[in-house]
Every structure is written in structure tokens, then in C-alpha cells.
């Protein structure tokens, strides 16, 4: 592989006009497709194989035209102090609002609170439900404006009016913090590479890669039903790995220049060595992201594949566009150790042979490996303790900031009707095979009423055929509570008994039941996902490092860092520690997809640093250095760059903490803290400590396995032959000049 990539690097350097034109054309093509594509909405949230999804599909079949997947809105009214919603003036204002809302072209139905039981017992609060014909993100802006205008007209009459539901759901924004993250990345690159131009190359190429990836996602969003958060997450991961991969290639290029090589040769060797590490690091990220498909949640699968595609583009750009732009930069990119004139270049060097920070740190770890290892494990273990209290759920209006109308509507309904009113359960009774459907409907309602934690059970509402009915159940507790989850399981147990006695099927659905089923499905999929992803990456790393213990150590270190990161997420978003600093206005359960998504992404990124760091160590060991000295040598050449890459990735991920979307905000924090733990504790401390303790045993591989494995040559051993060839070419050139 090293030889192929070496040739690719030299080709890209030499044919830079062609390579640059190819990537610019690809960016323009993707941009044109995105410009002409309809805006991305929210991906349809289907969970195959769950009872809630089965009931939802049954509703679509047995209640045609009911717009089961249509957007909903709850317009909540609260009377002024000392008044009731049943007062004539307030009642007239509500009736005007209902009439105004009913005239919308996309409105399927509006329920009058005075006819549908939408007035609280104390008479101070009422609500009107609005059902639309299309999903929330497909609503015309005119429909949203009409909804807001109707609420504003009601406010003019003196009422407090707020709007809940998904009809006002907006496409999430990342905020200005993302720009700050890129700015920090730029500063780190300048410090690391010692040149404004060299620092600009990774940023430029990463932006090109993310632009192609995000534009492609946008162009295909409508066709493939990609959600609005898909492009945000793809840009988050693509930008981070794009900068890092380019940084490693540029750094190796400068190191090769410092060895005295010509620029084309340096570009080829940089791609042949650092590029090999980029390929395998990228493969681990792609495996982790594509592996999310085993969960069988379409939205998560699409997010993973889209992000994986962006990572693949970042890898290809690092292998081709980076050497091309290095060709354009020419002598303005200086060898390692030299700085540009603007940053102090040209001054005499003092203490040129003084060990750098990486050398000093690695030497310390090699001298005291056991102490460093124990300290790292205990520290990460302490950070992981809150993960034992992890509670999973999906965000609803109750997790919105208090400044939003959705959250204020949620609170008004909770105060007026009880906390469970915001998470009603929909029980679907399929009595098609029963002799007396009406009796089955009545039996189901009566048995559900007898359960604990039930506030109200509405009368069964059968369809036109009379063989299927829906029963609305209001829990006593809020939607995300354990009590409500227990109630869902209790209703399903009642349904099993009814099915045994009558043959009728009782299913529970609704947003709350769907959230419970999603959490359970994700929990069940976590272990198989870990086995698949870690297993595949373990095999890949055996090929890369030609060792059993090094990949095993890499996997165990990852588990430590991801558990510690989950502990930090629980402490901030569930317990409320540092919530003000992180912009968390409402604590609550951790998003159900967070653990498995974090496992996938963090594993891929953790293996990035493992590959970049340990390949340098193995390269020194392969060239004859003793194990402990190889660790020090590897850190001398790679610690500075790995540290810079980690800081850049943390800065980029932290930028997404400012997003308006709670899922993106939480993922940004989780990934940033996970990279912090993994890069600086696991890879920079635990890894060298373990390698120092294992010594030569770290590189043990059974002889039969050594013969069976392909030699991918990540260290670039085969490139030694090119040194002689390059020397002969130089002699020929000198003869021609003579």
C-alpha cells in the first residue's frame, strides 16, 4: 500500500492542475445539486420491529385520512388572574381563534376545547388541537405564520397564549460558536506548523471536503429522506477528521523536507507513510459509522452513512488534494523546525538538540509506567462513575429552553391538566378477529382504568368498519418518567391477557411509547454493535500493527474513554453540573441515541490517534530500536502533531455545543470530552505506559498468523528502495545539466 500511495502522492504533486480542477469541479457539481434541491426536513422517524411502530402503521391502514403522520399543534390558552376560560369574553376569543385556524389549506382538523374536553378542571386553562395534512418539516411557511398570527390575535384579547407540538419545529442552527471552533483550530495549526500558509492548507482542504459532503447530502436530502441534523453531524465529523488527516500529511511532508528530500519526493513519501495511517484511521471511522445500521433505526443508519461518506471524502482529499496544493505552495511551506519570517523565522536556533516536550513526556512515562498507568485508569474510572446513573429518553417540548413558546405551552398544560397530559398514550385495539369488537373495546378500557398511574382513559373511538378503536390514556407522571414507562409495560401486559382470551390485539403507541421502544431497541443493539465494530476494527489493527496485544490494548483503552465521556455527559445534562456554562437550561434523561452514537464515532476517532501514534512507534521498532526507545522516538515525531490534532478536534466539536438543537448540542459536548479523555489520557499516557511494560512482547504475533496476514506496509519499509532510485535520478539530472 505504501508504494501505491507514494506514487499517488507524487502524481498529485506533479499533476496538481488536474487534481485541483477535479476537486473544484466536484465541489461545483455538488453545490449546483444542493442549490436546486428542496430544503431538508426532519427524517421520517420509523422504528421497524417495535410495537409502537406496528400500532402506528395499523392506524394508517384502519383510519385512512386521519393524517397520523401529520404535524400537530396545541394552542394553549390561560385566562388572566381572577378569570375563567369559560367567561363569555374569553370563550369568544378562543372560538375566533379556532375559526381562524380552521381556514388553513393544510389544516386537517381543529378541535374546539369546549366541545372536546379541552378545559382544565379549575377553568383557568384550555387548549385547541390542530392537526395538519403534512409532517411538521413539510409545512408551508404560510401555515406556520397563520398559526402564530392566530395566537397573537388571541393575546390581544388579554389571554396568555402559547403553542406546543411539532408544527413550529425549526431547522436547527449551530450558532457562532462553530466559527470560534474553526478559529481555534486555525491558531493551533499556525503554532504547530510554524507558517500561516502551511496552517491554511488543512483548513482549506477540510472545508472543500465538508463542502462536497454537505452539499451532496443536501442535494439528496429529499430523495433519501435525510433529516436536517444529518448534514450538521456530517459537517461536525467531516471537518474534524478533515483537518486532522491533512495536518498529519502536511506535518510528515515538512519532516521529509527536513531530511533533505526534494519536494515531489517528500510529497510522495508523506502520502506513502502518513497517508497509509490516514487510510486505516479513516477505515476505522467508516466501519464505526456504517456499523450503526445494525441498530435498524433508519434515521440513525442514514446519519451514520452520510457521515461516513464525508469521512471517505476527507481521506481522499488528504491523499490527493493536499500534495497538489503543496505543489502550488512550493518553497513557502518550510521544512520541519523552520518558521516563516512572519513568525520569527530566520533567527539563529538555540539549543537545537534540546529534547522536545513529546520526548520528555515519553521518557518520564517509560521510567514510571506503572504509576502513570494506574493514575490514568483511576482518573477515567472516577469520571465514569456518573454513567452508572444513566437514564435514556428522547427530547420533547419539556427539554426545550424556557424562552421558547413550545416549552411555555408544555408548562401550562402540565400545570392545568397534570404532568402526564404532555405525553398521552394511544392504545390501539385491533378486534378484527373478535366476535364482539365493542365488548373487547369496553374490556380494554376498563382494565386500563384499573391500573396504577392512570389519570384518565377516554372512551374507545372505533373506525368506520367498527373493527379497530383507539383509546387515549393520560398517565399520572411526565412523559420521561420511570412511572410512565412502567405504565406502558403494564398496558402491554393487559393486552397480552386480552389477546389470550379474545384474540384481539392491543398495541400501545404515541410519542411517549415510541420513545420507550426506541430506548429499549438501542439498549438491545449496543452489545451486538460493540462486538461488530470493535471486532472488525480489531482485525484491521492486527493487520496494521502485526500484533495481538496492541489492538487489544487499543480497544480496552477506548472502552475506558467512552465510559468516562458518558459519565461526563450524565453529570452535565442529567445531573446539571456546570449546566450554566454549557448552556443547559433543562436537565433530564440523556438522548437515547447518544450512547450508541458516541460509541461509534468515538471508537473511530480513538483509533485515529492510535494508528497515528503507534505506527510511528512501530516504525522506530521495525528499524531496530529497542521497545522503550521506540516509544520515545515515536513521541518525539508524533506527540506534537497528535496533540494539535486532538485540540483541533475538541475545538471543532465544542463549537456545536452552541447549536439550537438539543441532540446536536449534547453530541458536540460528548464527542469533545471523549476526545479529550482518549487523546490525552488513554493515547498519550496509558498507551506508552502499557507499551513500556510489555516491551518486545507488545509486538508478538503467532508465526502462522504472521504468514497469513497481508503486508500492508503502513510504516513505508518498501519506500527504502525509492531512495536509491531517487539518488540515481538526481545523478542523471546532474549529467544532463553538465
Amino acid at each position: 500500500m505504501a508504494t501505491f500511495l507514494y506514487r499517488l502522492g507524487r502524481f498529485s504533486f506533479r499533476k496538481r492542475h488536474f487534481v485541483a480542477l477535479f476537486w473544484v469541479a466536484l465541489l461545483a457539481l455538488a453545490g449546483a445539486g444542493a442549490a436546486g434541491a428542496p430544503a431538508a426536513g426532519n427524517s421520517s422517524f420509523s422504528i421497524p420491529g417495535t410495537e409502537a411502530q406496528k400500532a402506528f402503521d395499523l392506524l394508517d391502514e384502519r383510519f385512512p385520512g386521519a393524517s397520523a403522520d401529520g404535524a400537530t399543534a396545541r394552542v394553549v390558552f390561560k385566562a388572566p388572574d381572577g378569570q375563567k376560560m369559560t367567561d363569555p369574553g374569553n370563550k369568544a376569543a378562543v372560538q375566533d381563534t379556532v375559526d381562524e385556524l380552521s381556514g388553513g389549506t393544510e389544516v386537517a382538523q381543529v378541535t374546539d376545547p369546549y366541545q372536546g374536553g379541552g378545559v382544565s378542571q379549575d377553568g383557568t386553562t384550555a387548549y385547541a388541537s390542530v392537526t395538519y395534512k403534512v409532517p411538521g418539516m413539510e409545512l408551508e411557511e404560510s401555515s406556520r405564520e397563520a398559526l402564530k398570527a392566530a395566537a397573537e390575535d388571541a393575546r390581544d384579547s388579554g389571554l396568555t397564549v402559547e403553542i406546543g407540538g411539532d408544527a413550529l419545529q425549526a431547522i436547527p442552527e449551530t450558532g457562532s460558536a462553530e466559527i470560534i471552533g474553526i478559529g481555534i483550530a486555525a491558531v493551533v495549526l499556525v503554532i504547530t506548523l510554524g507558517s500561516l500558509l502551511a496552517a491554511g492548507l488543512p483548513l482549506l482542504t477540510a472545508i472543500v471536503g465538508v463542502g462536497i459532503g454537505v452539499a451532496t447530502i443536501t442535494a439528496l436530502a429529499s430523495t433519501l429522506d435525510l433529516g436536517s441534523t444529518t448534514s450538521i453531524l456530517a459537517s461536525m465529523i467531516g471537518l474534524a477528521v478533515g483537518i486532522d488527516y491533512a495536518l498529519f500529511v502536511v506535518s510528515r511532508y515538512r519532516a521529509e523536507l527536513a531530511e533533505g528530500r526534494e519536494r515531489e519526493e517528500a510529497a510522495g513519501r508523506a502520502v506513502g507513510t502518513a497517508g497509509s495511517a490516514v487510510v486505516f484511521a479513516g477505515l476505522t471511522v467508516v466501519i464505526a459509522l456504517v456499523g450503526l445500521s445494525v441498530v435498524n433505526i433508519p434515521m440513525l443508519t442514514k446519519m451514520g452513512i452520510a457521515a461516513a461518506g464525508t469521512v471517505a471524502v476527507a481521506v481522499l482529499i488528504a491523499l490527493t488534494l493536499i500534495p497538489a496544493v503543496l505543489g502550488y505552495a512550493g518553497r513557502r511551506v518550510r521544512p520541519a523546525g523552520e518558521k516563516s519570517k512572519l513568525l520569527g523565522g530566520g533567527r539563529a536556533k538555540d539549543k537545537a538538540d534540546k529534547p522536545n516536550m513529546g520526548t520528555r513526556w515519553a521518557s518520564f512515562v517509560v521510567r514510571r509506567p506503572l504509576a502513570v498507568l494506574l493514575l490514568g485508569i483511576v482518573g477515567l474510572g472516577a469520571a465514569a462513575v456518573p454513567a452508572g446513573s444513566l437514564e435514556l429518553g428522547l427530547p420533547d417540548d419539556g427539554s426545550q429552553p424556557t424562552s421558547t413558546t413550545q416549552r411555555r405551552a408544555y408548562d401550562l398544560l402540565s400545570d392545568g391538566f397534570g404532568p402526564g397530559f404532555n405525553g398521552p398514550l394511544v392504545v390501539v385495539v385491533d378486534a378484527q378477529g373478535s366476535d364482539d369488537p365493542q365488548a373487547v373495546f369496553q374490556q380494554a378500557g376498563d382494565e386500563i382504568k384499573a391500573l396504577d398511574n392512570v389519570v384518565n382513559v377516554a372512551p374507545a373511538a372505533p373506525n368506520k368498519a367498527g373493527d379497530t378503536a383507539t383509546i387515549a390514556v393520560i398517565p399520572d407522571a411526565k412523559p420521561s418518567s420511570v412511572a410512565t414507562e412502567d405504565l406502558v409495560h403494564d398496558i402491554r401486559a393487559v393486552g397480552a391477557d386480552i389477546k389470550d382470551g379474545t384474540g384481539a390485539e392491543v398495541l400501545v403507541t404515541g410519542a411517549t411509547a415510541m420513545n420507550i421502544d426506541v430506548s429499549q431497541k438501542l439498549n438491545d443493539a449496543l452489545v451486538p454493535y460493540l462486538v461488530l465494530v470493535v471486532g472488525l476494527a480489531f482485525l484491521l489493527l492486527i493487520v496494521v500493527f502485526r500484533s495481538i496485544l496492541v489492538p487489544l490494548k487499543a480497544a480496552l483503552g477506548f472502552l475506558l474513554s467512552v465510559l468516562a465521556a458518558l459519565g461526563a455527559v450524565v453529570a452535565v445534562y442529567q445531573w446539571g453540573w456546570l449546566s450554566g456554562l454549557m448552556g443547559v437550561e433543562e436537565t433530564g434523561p440523556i438522548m437515547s441515541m447518544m450512547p450508541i452514537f458516541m460509541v461509534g464515532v468515538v471508537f473511530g476517532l480513538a483509533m485515529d490517534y492510535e494508528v497515528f501514534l503507534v505506527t510511528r512507534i512501530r516504525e522506530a521498532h521495525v528499524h531496530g530500536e529497542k521497545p522503550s526507545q521506540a516509544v520515545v522516538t515515536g513521541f518525539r515525531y508524533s506527540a506534537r502533531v497528535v496533540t494539535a490534532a486532538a485540540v483541533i478536534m475538541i475545538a471543532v466539536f465544542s463549537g456545536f455545543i452552541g447549536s439550537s438543537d438539543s441532540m446536536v448540542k449534547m453530541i458536540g459536548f460528548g464527542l469533545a470530552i471523549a476526545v479529550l479523555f482518549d487523546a490525552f489520557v488513554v493515547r498519550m499516557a496509558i498507551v506508552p505506559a502499557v507499551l513500556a511494560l510489555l516491551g518486545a512482547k507488545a509486538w508478538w504475533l503467532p508465526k502462522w498468523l504472521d504468514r497469513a496476514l497481508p503486508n500492508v506496509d503502513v510504516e513505508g519499509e518498501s519506500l527504502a528502495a525509492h531512495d536509491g532510485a531517487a539518488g540515481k535520478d538526481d545523478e542523471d539530472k546532474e549529467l544532463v545539466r553538465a
Side-chain angles (χ1 to χ4, degrees):
M1 172 176 283
T3 302
F4 169 76
L5 293 178
Y6 165 81
R7 291 171 179 164
L8 178 63
R10 293 195 64 166
F11 171 83
S12 300
F13 186 95
R14 192 166 54 251
K15 303 291 185 180
R16 48 188 171 273
H17 301 312
F18 169 77
V19 173
L21 182 62
F22 170 80
W23 285 110
V24 170
L26 195 59
L27 178 62
L29 184 64
N42 260 12
S43 178
S44 56
F45 196 74
S46 62
I47 314 296
T50 62
E51 179 174 317
Q53 185 64 45
K54 183 179 178 181
F56 189 82
D57 295 339
L58 187 65
L59 285 175
D60 271 350
E61 177 188 340
R62 304 287 175 83
F63 292 82
S67 301
D69 62 343
T72 59
R74 276 179 169 176
V75 183
V76 187
F77 308 90
K78 184 173 178 59
D81 292 342
Q83 297 183 24
K84 303 284 187 182
M85 288 305 303
T86 51
D87 294 346
N90 294 335
K91 192 172 183 178
V94 172
Q95 189 60 57
D96 289 343
T97 304
V98 170
D99 293 341
E100 186 176 349
L101 290 170
S102 300
T105 56
E106 292 185 312
V107 173
Q109 183 182 10
V110 181
T111 59
D112 188 323
Y114 301 101
Q115 297 178 6
V119 181
S120 62
Q121 288 186 352
D122 62 6
T124 61
T125 309
Y127 73 93
S129 294
V130 185
T131 304
Y132 291 88
K133 300 174 183 176
V134 295
M137 296 305 290
E138 295 180 15
L139 275 178
E140 296 286 343
E141 191 59 32
S142 58
S143 295
R144 291 195 180 93
E145 291 302 322
L147 179 60
K148 295 176 184 177
E152 194 59 42
D153 291 342
R155 291 189 188 106
D156 292 340
S157 67
L159 297 173
T160 298
V161 185
E162 304 295 347
I163 306 170
D166 62 353
L168 293 184
Q169 194 169 23
I171 295 176
E173 300 174 353
T174 56
S176 59
E178 183 185 355
I179 305 301
I180 297 174
I182 296 176
I184 295 173
V187 172
V188 173
L189 286 170
V190 171
I191 295 172
T192 304
L193 298 176
S195 164
L196 292 175
L197 179 63
L201 297 183
L203 280 176
L204 173 64
T205 55
I207 290 171
V208 170
V210 169
I212 292 171
V214 171
T216 303
I217 291 169
T218 304
L220 299 175
S222 179
T223 304
L224 301 181
D225 190 25
L226 302 177
S228 55
T229 56
T230 302
S231 59
I232 295 177
L233 295 173
S235 66
M236 179 195 302
I237 297 168
L239 188 62
V241 300
I243 294 175
D244 277 9
Y245 293 166
L247 170 62
F248 282 106
V249 174
V250 173
S251 297
R252 189 59 184 253
Y253 171 76
R254 296 178 71 235
E256 295 295 336
L257 290 179
E259 295 283 335
R261 292 188 171 86
E262 292 294 326
R263 294 187 176 273
E264 182 179 327
E265 175 69 13
R269 293 184 69 90
V271 175
T273 52
S276 296
V278 165
V279 169
F280 283 99
L283 270 177
T284 59
V285 180
V286 169
I287 287 172
L289 291 171
V290 173
L292 290 169
S293 59
V294 303
V295 184
N296 197 26
I297 294 179
M299 185 180 76
L300 194 59
T301 299
K302 292 171 185 176
M303 286 167 54
I305 292 175
T310 307
V311 171
V313 171
V315 170
L316 292 174
I317 280 181
L319 300 178
T320 57
L321 186 57
I322 281 291
V325 295
L326 286 172
Y328 284 117
R331 298 187 180 278
R332 284 169 290 184
V333 175
R334 297 171 179 267
E338 293 186 17
K339 294 183 179 180
S340 65
K341 292 181 180 180
L342 183 63
L343 297 176
R347 293 198 296 263
K349 295 181 182 179
D350 295 326
K351 300 179 181 179
D353 296 330
K354 181 181 178 181
N356 62 18
M357 180 64 77
T359 302
R360 295 196 297 272
W361 170 250
S363 299
F364 169 79
V365 174
V366 167
R367 288 196 305 270
R368 297 175 178 83
L370 189 59
V372 172
L373 177 62
L374 291 176
L375 185 61
I377 292 175
V378 170
L380 290 178
V385 168
S389 303
L390 178 67
E391 295 177 11
L392 298 177
L394 287 178
D396 56 17
D397 285 347
S399 62
Q400 296 270 11
T402 52
S403 59
T404 62
T405 186
Q406 292 97 323
R407 172 61 188 277
R408 291 195 294 263
Y410 181 98
D411 291 340
L412 286 175
L413 287 172
S414 182
D415 293 341
F417 296 88
F421 197 79
N422 283 293
L425 304 174
V426 179
V427 178
V428 183
V429 184
D430 179 8
Q432 195 173 54
S434 173
D435 296 333
D436 189 354
Q438 192 60 45
V440 173
F441 301 155
Q442 186 64 43
Q443 179 187 353
D446 292 342
E447 293 195 23
I448 292 171
K449 283 180 185 177
L451 295 174
D452 294 333
N453 300 319
V454 174
V455 171
N456 183 55
V457 178
N463 61 350
K464 290 182 179 180
D467 57 6
T468 308
T470 59
I471 302 174
V473 179
I474 306 299
D476 185 39
K478 64 180 183 179
S480 58
S481 67
V482 175
T484 301
E485 182 176 349
D486 291 340
L487 176 59
V488 170
H489 295 314
D490 291 343
I491 295 174
R492 286 173 174 170
V494 166
D497 294 338
I498 292 175
K499 184 174 183 179
D500 291 340
T502 66
E505 192 167 19
V506 178
L507 306 171
V508 185
T509 189
T512 301
M514 186 73 81
N515 290 353
I516 292 169
D517 286 353
V518 169
S519 298
Q520 187 61 52
K521 191 177 181 74
L522 288 166
N523 283 339
D524 294 343
L526 185 57
V527 172
Y529 174 70
L530 267 174
V531 171
L532 173 69
V533 172
V534 176
L536 288 175
F538 181 77
L539 295 175
L540 184 65
L541 292 180
I542 289 177
V543 174
V544 174
F545 297 131
R546 307 194 77 78
S547 164
I548 297 292
L549 296 179
V550 171
L552 181 61
K553 173 253 325 162
L556 293 177
F558 151 73
L559 291 175
L560 268 177
S561 58
V562 80
L563 284 174
L566 280 175
V569 170
V570 170
V572 173
Y573 289 89
Q574 188 175 308
W575 291 1
W577 294 5
L578 301 177
S579 57
L581 181 64
M582 295 299 165
V584 181
E585 296 191 29
E586 185 70 22
T587 59
I590 303 304
M591 183 186 62
S592 299
M593 285 183 288
M594 185 68 188
I596 200 163
F597 191 82
M598 181 183 284
V599 164
V601 176
V602 173
F603 183 78
L605 300 180
M607 294 307 103
D608 276 4
Y609 298 120
E610 181 76 14
V611 169
F612 288 128
L613 189 62
V614 179
T615 48
R616 262 298 195 172
I617 295 173
R618 187 174 188 275
E619 184 176 341
H621 179 67
V622 165
H623 287 94
E625 293 188 9
K626 294 181 179 179
S628 58
Q629 184 57 41
V631 172
V632 176
T633 301
F635 268 70
R636 180 169 72 246
Y637 289 116
S638 61
R640 177 184 176 91
V641 180
V642 169
T643 299
V647 172
I648 288 169
M649 199 168 279
I650 291 168
V652 172
F653 287 149
S654 297
F656 289 84
I657 297 175
S659 172
S660 63
D661 185 272
S662 58
M663 181 174 78
V664 175
K665 181 191 293 284
M666 191 181 296
I667 287 177
F669 171 79
L671 294 183
I673 199 72
V675 170
L676 176 68
F677 288 149
D678 194 86
F680 293 105
V681 181
V682 175
R683 308 303 153 190
M684 302 295 287
I686 293 178
V687 165
V690 171
L691 290 177
L693 289 170
L694 291 175
K697 296 177 183 176
W699 309 107
W700 172 79
L701 187 70
K703 291 182 179 179
W704 64 267
L705 185 57
D706 186 41
R707 290 192 298 269
L709 291 177
N711 184 12
V712 295
D713 188 21
V714 177
E715 296 82 15
E717 294 175 71
S718 60
L719 298 184
H722 290 277
D723 285 335
K728 186 177 185 304
D729 289 344
D730 291 339
E731 292 176 6
D732 291 343
K733 290 177 182 177
E734 290 298 327
L735 288 173
V736 170
R737 291 193 190 102

